[in-house]
Amino acid sequence: MKRQNVRTLSLIVCTFTYLLVGAAVFDALESDFEMREKEQLEAEEKRLQGKYNISEDDYKKLETIIMEAEPHRAGVQWKFAGSFYFAITVITTIGYGHAAPGTDAGKAFCMFYAVLGIPLTLVMFQSLGERMNTFVKYMLKRIKKCCGMRITEVSMENMVTVGFFSCMGTLCIGAAAFSHYEDWSFFQSYYYCFITLTTIGFGDFVALQKNKALQRKPLYVAFSFMYILVGLTVIGAFLNLVVLRFLTMNSEDERRDAEERASLAGNRSSMIIHIQEDTLQRSRRRREQQQQHYKSEVTDLQSICSCMHYHSHEFGSSNSFGSQLSPHQYHHYHSTVSYRIEEISPSTLKNSILPSPISSVSPGLHSFTENLRLMRRRKSI
Amino acid sequence: MKRQNVRTLALIICTLSYLLIGAGVFDALESKQEKSQKGKLDYRKILLMHKYNLTRLDFEQIERVVLLLKPHKAGVQWKFAGSFYFAITVITTIGYGHAAPSTDAGKAFCMGYALLGIPLTLVMFQSLGERINTFVRFLLHKAKKCMSLRRPEVSMANMVIIGFFSCISTLCIGAAAFSHYEGWTFFHAFYYCFITLTTIGFGDYVALQKDNALQNDPHYVAFSFVYILMGLTVIGAFLNLVVLRFMTMNTEDERRDAEQKALLFKDQQKGPVTQRPDPPSPAAVGRDKRRGLKSVYAEVLHFQTVCSCLWYKSREKMVILPQDLSFTDALMEQGDVLPHHFFEPGPTGCVCNPQCCSAISTVSADLRNISPFRFFSKRRSSV
């Protein structure tokens, strides 16, 4: 079965298993507590109802009032600061739910707002995250040079380590700040930061909901917003570094398969020239054989083209075409050509016969013969 | 300034403005209603407090109990079905909050669970989404062939339209189902499906919370879970089609820059090459001239129309060479070029667009047609 299908199927199976395992563990951890808490609270409820002699109907009314008034307890939610907070929770998909649009118009606008805002935010965080990674790579390289290390290249492990520690650092800083301002324990604060920055956003802990902070403490409000956005960038950078390549794996495989199919399907009398810029760039990240195989294929192509250009140029140097290329360009391409030819790996020479061998060679182009041999072996073109 | 930096700055500014505009609109839409609702609730509260002679402290006691009982009123939340529901909301990052771990151990496990589960789920949905896109493309191509349309290739626009309509219908199906089962209006159910499938997950509307459905109604429970997971796949497929390429743009530009640098560096090492850096290929210059996401998209679509494109790829980049008329003329003088080769439809039936480009489509075995290679090799520098 195709690699992409195997990959997809195994991912589905993995995810389902993961869900089942998670469900079982949560059940084990929380069920007992839930039962006990429920009994306690119901007993308390009965006691209070009895104490104040509240009738059933009235108690239900009271319940409804209290539940509906819940968001209001935390302060004014929809003035500008609160709306900004809400907008952040929408486009970053955190979605606490501490405040949710009450009007139908608000709900409708919320949906349109999300449709445009979520992709924009996704792309923005990935873009900024990539810039951050590049900068960190650069800084790390400089530091390595300064420290006088022998190997100054920044490896993937270095980047992952740095990324991981910056994520941890971000979470800890947030935990410290919010535990101070919101009066939560450090662990609860850390849990809040984690749930926020992974955009899960339960809403069991929400910042800026105590003591009318949204209206009264602009500095704290600004800090919270900055923290959420910067924290999401750091997490986004880490995801960009580690996870993004996996998101495009199927597409790349599909492209490569199509490539191979197309080149095999090329008919005898034509050669399809095709450079996969993306694949050339991306193939760097693939497994060894494919990397080299593909790169050498493309490099072959380049070498053939440059080679033929160079030689035909040699041949036609006396004609008007020859004069179009100035001498240093000539040299440049010459050196490009020789560079490229060096890169042809032995595997390409072992490849099966070219489906469209060059049948005729113009009399003057003697030097083509060796290139012809090379071309005959380039199965994929 | 480098293209990636410009792009990143522009995105940041866009997002911040978007937030400001959103805040303004939400303020305008919701503030008044919030105030009036609060007033009404306060009034009713005071009425009841007077009726039963409740002090503020008394009331706050009752309030605390009622709020804590809220999740319990909705049913047992942490038996297996409820936990499974919760696990889904964690790893898909929906996070309703209708049930949240109360114990510290539960919180800690939740964090570890999310750490592994979220990337797994992201990759899974993108993987499955890509498979779905490929399958849809295949079906569409077959359908076009069957209807014997002249051009059976599936364009990006086709895919986007189909993706969009599948998203809308997924939302509508869910809205119909949930409005029936949960007793919500169609609009509220649609809003619920939307908020769920975009993984925002406010929690103002949550399925499976009425009449202890989690324990009593296994079919409805199964339907809800399947709906959420399938809906997320459809949305994921659409994102994979439309948004994913933009998330990798910076990385690709960075790679291309690095390659160019490496190329220049190696060339300089090789021979007595004079000074001047390789003139940017017309392809690269053309790219620079056209800025913005729209141009990238146009580029992608443009490449597709080039001859010898493989009909079902949507984002490869081929070497596009702007037509160099003088060059062609010179060649034609020598009788080296059979001009129709530039315009002939390739083997797959695509038709070149001669005004914008003259990509190398086919080269016959006959060496006389090497001349296109000259185009090609001359402009290779950007790869």
Side-chain angles (χ1 to χ4, degrees):
Chain A
M1 200 161 49
K2 252 165 93 166
R3 196 191 311 153
Q4 298 92 298
N5 294 334
V6 174
R7 181 185 296 136
T8 305
L9 275 172
S10 41
L11 281 170
I12 293 176
V13 170
C14 267
T15 307
F16 260 115
T17 317
Y18 199 73
L19 279 173
L20 289 169
V21 168
V25 178
F26 279 121
D27 188 342
L29 289 174
E30 294 281 327
S31 254
D32 283 340
F33 182 87
E34 183 187 22
M35 288 303 152
R36 276 185 286 127
E37 196 191 42
K38 185 174 186 182
E39 282 167 10
Q40 279 174 0
L41 287 171
E42 279 179 344
E44 178 77 8
E45 191 185 31
K46 281 222 156 36
R47 187 184 70 84
L48 286 170
Q49 211 183 341
K51 179 176 172 187
Y52 301 109
N53 248 331
I54 307 176
S55 66
E56 276 300 315
D57 276 342
D58 282 341
Y59 190 77
K60 285 238 158 14
K61 277 192 216 154
L62 202 59
E63 249 182 1
T64 320
I65 292 172
I66 288 171
M67 303 237 238
E68 280 176 25
E70 189 181 1
H72 298 281
R73 279 174 82 218
V76 179
Q77 299 291 352
W78 292 104
K79 278 271 174 269
F80 192 80
S83 284
F84 197 88
Y85 196 25
F86 178 75
I88 290 179
T89 67
V90 171
I91 64 173
T92 55
T93 76
I94 295 176
Y96 290 126
H98 67 291
T103 61
D104 277 356
K107 289 182 166 85
F109 176 73
C110 180
M111 290 194 269
F112 284 112
Y113 191 67
V115 165
L116 214 58
I118 292 173
L120 169 66
T121 310
L122 280 175
V123 175
M124 193 272 281
F125 278 129
Q126 286 305 304
S127 199
L128 193 50
E130 187 278 337
R131 290 284 84 203
M132 270 180 62
N133 284 337
T134 311
F135 181 67
V136 164
K137 216 177 229 153
Y138 168 75
M139 293 296 294
L140 213 56
K141 194 163 185 177
R142 291 284 288 271
I143 292 174
K144 280 191 164 187
K145 268 194 184 147
C146 273
C147 289
M149 287 183 155
R150 256 195 325 137
I151 319 170
T152 55
E153 292 94 42
V154 181
S155 71
M156 185 67 172
E157 291 88 44
N158 292 139
M159 289 299 293
V160 171
T161 315
V162 172
F164 181 75
F165 279 112
S166 29
C167 289
M168 280 287 131
T170 307
L171 287 172
C172 289
I173 291 172
F178 287 112
S179 75
H180 167 74
Y181 282 114
E182 296 280 338
D183 233 357
W184 297 326
S185 74
F186 185 84
F187 177 72
Q188 286 174 335
S189 248
Y190 189 91
Y191 170 75
Y192 163 74
C193 293
F194 183 93
I195 295 296
T196 300
L197 296 188
T198 49
T199 76
I200 298 176
F202 287 132
D204 50 351
F205 291 90
V206 186
L208 302 172
Q209 300 289 288
K210 283 208 169 102
N211 307 326
K212 296 202 165 62
L214 276 167
Q215 313 302 322
R216 299 217 182 122
K217 292 191 202 163
L219 284 175
Y220 176 43
V221 169
F223 165 77
S224 298
F225 293 169
M226 282 304 302
Y227 176 76
I228 291 176
L229 295 172
V230 172
L232 285 170
T233 307
V234 172
I235 304 287
F238 190 63
L239 281 179
N240 183 290
L241 186 70
V242 176
V243 180
L244 197 60
R245 68 200 63 216
F246 296 110
L247 300 184
T248 48
M249 262 206 222
N250 265 11
S251 306
E252 285 176 35
D253 280 349
E254 199 62 31
R255 206 172 298 151
R256 204 189 346 265
D257 288 349
E259 280 278 307
E260 287 177 8
R261 232 174 300 155
S263 49
L264 285 170
N267 55 39
R268 301 227 123 226
S269 62
S270 66
M271 278 202 299
I272 297 174
I273 314 300
H274 203 156
I275 294 296
Q276 290 295 298
E277 252 190 271
D278 286 346
T279 336
L280 175 61
Q281 291 164 359
R282 293 234 180 99
S283 62
R284 298 250 160 80
R285 305 226 187 259
R286 308 299 276 160
R287 278 162 269 163
E288 286 282 342
Q289 319 129 313
Q290 287 144 358
Q291 256 184 38
Q292 271 156 17
H293 167 75
Y294 221 76
K295 192 170 177 193
S296 58
E297 266 186 327
V298 173
T299 337
D300 291 348
L301 184 56
Q302 292 171 12
S303 63
I304 301 305
C305 302
S306 319
C307 206
M308 296 206 294
H309 161 82
Y310 169 58
H311 286 293
S312 67
H313 196 73
E314 204 178 62
F315 170 63
S317 58
S318 54
N319 61 26
S320 57
F321 167 56
S323 62
Q324 286 184 23
L325 271 191
S326 47
H328 60 258
Q329 270 182 325
Y330 198 104
H331 281 289
H332 167 78
Y333 291 115
H334 177 45
S335 51
T336 317
V337 162
S338 28
Y339 160 67
R340 293 276 181 241
I341 287 179
E342 277 156 21
E343 278 204 14
I344 297 174
S345 68
S347 61
T348 56
L349 295 176
K350 295 191 220 127
N351 283 343
S352 53
I353 294 174
L354 189 68
S356 57
I358 309 290
S359 47
S360 61
V361 178
S362 312
L365 300 167
H366 307 289
S367 37
F368 265 96
T369 37
E370 29 174 277
N371 297 316
L372 274 184
R373 232 178 293 130
L374 210 58
M375 281 156 57
R376 284 216 182 92
R377 286 170 173 78
R378 292 180 54 264
K379 99 173 173 187
S380 62
I381 293 293
Chain B
M1 200 160 48
K2 253 165 90 167
R3 196 194 306 167
Q4 299 90 301
N5 294 333
V6 175
R7 180 186 295 137
T8 305
L9 275 173
L11 282 169
I12 292 176
I13 293 175
C14 268
T15 308
L16 287 175
S17 339
Y18 198 72
L19 280 172
L20 288 169
I21 294 172
V25 178
F26 280 121
D27 187 342
L29 289 173
E30 295 282 328
S31 257
K32 240 191 274 179
Q33 218 256 15
E34 181 187 26
K35 227 171 159 180
S36 74
Q37 198 203 27
K38 182 162 204 261
K40 279 194 212 136
L41 287 170
D42 279 343
Y43 178 69
R44 282 157 62 191
K45 178 174 110 179
I46 290 177
L47 272 182
L48 276 170
M49 277 171 77
H50 274 170
K51 183 172 178 187
Y52 292 99
N53 254 332
L54 298 168
T55 65
R56 239 189 100 204
L57 249 66
D58 293 335
F59 183 80
E60 268 166 29
Q61 247 188 333
I62 299 180
E63 193 181 44
R64 196 185 58 91
V65 172
V66 167
L67 288 176
L68 282 173
L69 262 176
K70 187 173 168 193
H72 297 278
K73 292 268 188 241
V76 180
Q77 299 291 350
W78 291 103
K79 279 275 174 267
F80 192 80
S83 284
F84 196 88
Y85 196 25
F86 178 75
I88 291 179
T89 68
V90 172
I91 64 173
T92 55
T93 76
I94 295 177
Y96 291 125
H98 67 292
S102 321
T103 62
D104 277 357
K107 289 185 168 80
F109 176 73
C110 180
M111 290 195 272
Y113 190 68
L115 202 59
L116 212 58
I118 291 172
L120 169 67
T121 311
L122 279 176
V123 176
M124 193 272 281
F125 278 128
Q126 286 305 305
S127 197
L128 192 51
E130 188 278 336
R131 290 284 84 202
I132 288 177
N133 283 337
T134 309
F135 181 65
V136 165
R137 224 176 237 138
F138 169 75
L139 282 181
L140 203 61
H141 180 71
K142 276 258 149 74
K144 281 190 164 187
K145 265 199 182 141
C146 269
M147 297 200 291
S148 49
L149 286 171
R150 250 193 336 135
R151 298 215 258 145
E153 307 92 45
V154 181
S155 71
M156 183 69 171
N158 292 140
M159 289 299 293
V160 171
I161 292 173
I162 290 185
F164 179 75
F165 279 112
S166 25
C167 289
I168 297 286
S169 32
T170 307
L171 288 172
C172 288
I173 291 172
F178 288 113
S179 73
H180 167 74
Y181 281 114
E182 296 280 338
W184 298 328
T185 68
F186 184 84
F187 177 70
H188 288 164
F190 188 91
Y191 170 75
Y192 163 72
C193 292
F194 182 92
I195 295 298
T196 300
L197 296 187
T198 49
T199 77
I200 297 176
F202 286 132
D204 50 351
Y205 293 89
V206 186
L208 302 172
Q209 299 290 287
K210 284 212 169 93
D211 308 323
N212 216 356
L214 277 166
Q215 312 301 322
N216 296 341
D217 207 341
H219 287 132
Y220 177 42
V221 169
F223 166 78
S224 298
F225 293 168
V226 169
Y227 175 77
I228 291 177
L229 296 172
M230 298 228 53
L232 285 169
T233 308
V234 172
I235 305 286
F238 191 63
L239 281 180
N240 183 290
L241 186 69
V242 176
V243 181
L244 195 62
R245 67 199 62 216
F246 295 112
M247 304 213 286
T248 48
M249 263 207 250
N250 265 12
T251 315
E252 285 177 34
D253 280 349
E254 200 62 28
R255 210 173 292 158
R256 195 177 9 250
D257 288 350
E259 246 163 63
Q260 279 181 5
K261 240 179 280 173
L263 203 62
L264 281 172
F265 182 63
K266 282 207 160 97
D267 287 342
Q268 278 161 16
Q269 275 188 331
K270 286 291 175 179
V273 180
T274 38
Q275 48 28 52
R276 72 171 165 120
D278 216 30
S281 74
V285 167
R287 273 200 294 276
D288 281 346
K289 282 194 193 130
R290 299 165 288 155
R291 294 205 163 271
L293 288 178
K294 194 176 174 201
S295 69
V296 174
Y297 231 97
E299 255 188 327
V300 171
L301 290 172
H302 180 112
F303 289 134
Q304 287 180 47
T305 63
V306 172
C307 297
S308 79
C309 58
L310 295 164
W311 59 266
Y312 79 63
K313 276 194 274 183
S314 59
R315 64 167 296 222
E316 71 248 7
K317 287 183 183 159
M318 294 192 233
V319 178
I320 298 297
L321 314 172
Q323 196 154 38
D324 186 348
L325 289 173
S326 56
F327 201 53
T328 324
D329 287 342
L331 286 174
M332 276 159 82
E333 274 173 355
Q334 302 166 31
D336 277 359
V337 165
L338 301 168
H340 71 267
H341 271 267
F342 288 108
F343 309 127
E344 196 176 56
T348 56
C350 314
V351 179
C352 269
N353 186 348
Q355 288 107 339
C356 334
C357 66
S358 61
I360 308 301
S361 54
T362 57
V363 174
S364 72
D366 198 316
L367 265 183
R368 278 174 307 190
N369 295 329
I370 289 177
S371 40
F373 278 104
R374 294 185 189 147
F375 262 115
F376 182 63
S377 49
K378 185 177 183 185
R379 288 169 173 79
R380 302 260 356 342
S381 55
S382 69
V383 179

